[in-house]
Amino acid sequence: MDAPAAPAAAAAPLLEVIELGKRFKVGSAWSRGGRRELQAVDAVSLQVRPGETLGLVGESGCGKSTLARCIVRLQDCSSGTLRFEGRDITHLGARAMRPIRPRLQMVFQDPYTSLNPRRRVGDLIAEPLRVHGRRSRAEVAERVRELAALVGLRPEQLARYPHEFSGGQRQRIGIARALALEPRLVVADEPVSALDVSIQAQIVNLLADLQERLGLTYLFIAHDLSVVRQVSTRTAVMYLGSIVEIGPTERLYAQPAHPYTAALISAVPVPSVQASARRTKIVLAGDPPSPLDPPPGCRFHPRCAAATEVCRRVRPALQALPDGRAVACHHPLA
């Protein structure tokens, strides 16, 4: 499957994330380090346009899932602004968010824990319809059958419980539940990372087919760069809570501008032995710094071979490049 074509750049953003931050208090006054602040998401800005798939990649623990939960307002933001369909939803309460939630849905990472094991599959898919009270009982039942067929489930499977399904089938159930209220934007938080490779391809192809049929927009989060390249129109790279590079997927993969992006791409396996031998693999020194104690200046400078004094002192902002990308680096590669 080829990556989807980019939508018209002139389209107004469906989602705007502006300088978004999320902080957590950790520890306690009685702990050895005292009460400290963890910056999980640090001044993230991005846009998602109607009809596109924006991929979000980065190492585990860099803040991708926290950003996703803030975007769908499962967690409150500590700072910054969220705009959905042109409306500021940053600080809306539960009642004000209620009419917005049908158009902003999420597919969770783990299909084993995101479904209530005590409820039948048909009830799980029907729950959003019942909560929002949009249809009669007969209409709900008909809609559930439609959704099951849409994701490749048989009608007789709706009476079963989640433990009777494989991981891939459970993720199909989660996708059906997310689509029940006909959303415009679906945030997919690593929807295939817990699945076998062969099943991953099925779910990725299903998401692409649903996007084409239903006109969906995706924010697709993953740490597998091969999967993101396959599905995404544009890709954003996240490191230690911040976006370090964002731009059209093929351009970013062909010529990364940030040293961290280049290191990630160099680690992606390739099927050809000859091509693999010709590649220069970039091995980063050390481990990512702790978000409890981030380094000054560029967050990546302790692991960057090209770091200079300015990198250690001044934190770079996202700067636009002539080819349509943006990179947060004092010495971009491209």
Side-chain angles (χ1 to χ4, degrees):
M1 182 191 71
D2 296 329
L14 180 62
L15 172 73
E16 289 183 275
V17 180
I18 306 168
E19 296 291 317
L20 187 72
K22 178 60 181 177
R23 298 181 295 274
F24 296 98
K25 295 291 186 181
V26 297
S28 68
W30 298 277
S31 62
R32 187 173 183 179
R35 193 152 177 80
R36 305 174 68 188
E37 190 173 80
L38 186 150
Q39 185 83 35
V41 178
D42 190 3
V44 166
S45 295
L46 53 85
Q47 296 181 346
V48 185
R49 304 184 190 108
E52 79 167 342
T53 298
L54 176 64
L56 181 63
V57 299
E59 293 172 288
S60 296
C62 71
K64 302 185 301 296
S65 293
T66 301
L67 175 61
R69 296 177 73 87
C70 288
I71 286 173
V72 298
R73 291 297 318 280
L74 292 179
Q75 291 179 339
D76 290 332
C77 311
S78 302
S79 59
T81 303
L82 275 175
R83 294 185 184 277
F84 179 65
E85 297 179 323
R87 180 180 180 184
D88 188 341
I89 64 169
T90 315
H91 302 294
L92 294 183
R95 179 170 295 185
M97 276 297 298
R98 187 180 176 92
I100 297 172
R101 290 200 182 278
R103 305 192 297 280
L104 178 61
Q105 290 291 307
M106 187 167 182
V107 176
F108 295 92
Q109 176 178 355
D110 190 352
Y112 296 90
T113 60
S114 61
L115 302 175
N116 188 335
R118 297 176 180 271
R119 302 190 64 184
R120 298 181 189 272
V121 165
D123 292 331
L124 291 171
I125 297 175
E127 184 174 14
L129 298 166
R130 291 171 180 155
V131 167
H132 287 269
R134 292 188 167 194
R135 302 168 189 249
S136 67
R137 182 174 297 183
E139 289 172 333
V140 168
E142 178 60 28
R143 177 61 175 161
V144 169
R145 287 191 291 269
E146 291 175 0
L147 290 164
L150 195 63
V151 299
L153 297 175
R154 300 188 304 274
E156 62 269 20
Q157 292 178 304
L158 296 172
R160 299 179 185 175
Y161 289 92
H163 74 269
E164 300 178 72
F165 293 86
S166 67
Q169 289 174 319
R170 292 187 202 190
Q171 198 59 287
R172 289 174 185 268
I173 296 166
I175 293 169
R177 181 176 60 180
L179 298 180
L181 296 172
E182 302 177 2
R184 293 192 66 193
L185 174 65
V186 175
V187 177
D189 181 17
E190 303 207 31
V192 297
S193 63
L195 307 177
D196 293 337
V197 174
S198 60
I199 306 301
Q200 286 183 12
Q202 295 177 18
I203 298 301
V204 166
N205 288 333
L206 172 64
L207 290 170
D209 179 60
L210 292 171
Q211 182 177 40
E212 184 176 347
R213 294 172 62 179
L214 305 177
L216 298 172
T217 301
Y218 291 136
L219 174 59
F220 189 97
I221 299 170
H223 59 258
D224 188 330
L225 274 74
S226 299
V227 173
V228 171
R229 185 173 191 174
Q230 183 179 354
V231 303
S232 300
T233 311
R234 293 186 302 130
T235 299
V237 182
M238 197 168 183
Y239 182 80
L240 204 64
S242 301
I243 300 296
V244 296
E245 186 171 357
I246 185 169
T249 296
E250 287 306 319
R251 201 170 298 162
L252 183 145
Y253 276 71
Q255 193 176 17
H258 197 281
Y260 177 63
T261 309
L264 287 180
I265 293 173
S266 76
V268 176
V270 293
S272 168
V273 176
Q274 291 79 9
S276 180
R278 290 194 300 268
R279 295 176 66 189
T280 301
K281 189 170 183 179
I282 302 172
V283 180
L284 297 177
D287 297 317
S290 169
L292 283 170
D293 188 23
C298 175
R299 298 292 190 253
F300 185 63
H301 87 256
R303 307 176 72 191
C304 181
T308 62
E309 185 59 31
V310 68
C311 303
R312 299 180 182 94
R313 291 186 292 102
V314 181
R315 187 175 181 185
L318 273 174
Q319 299 290 335
L321 297 179
D323 61 2
R325 284 181 290 170
V327 61
C329 183
H330 293 297
H331 312 293
L333 303 176

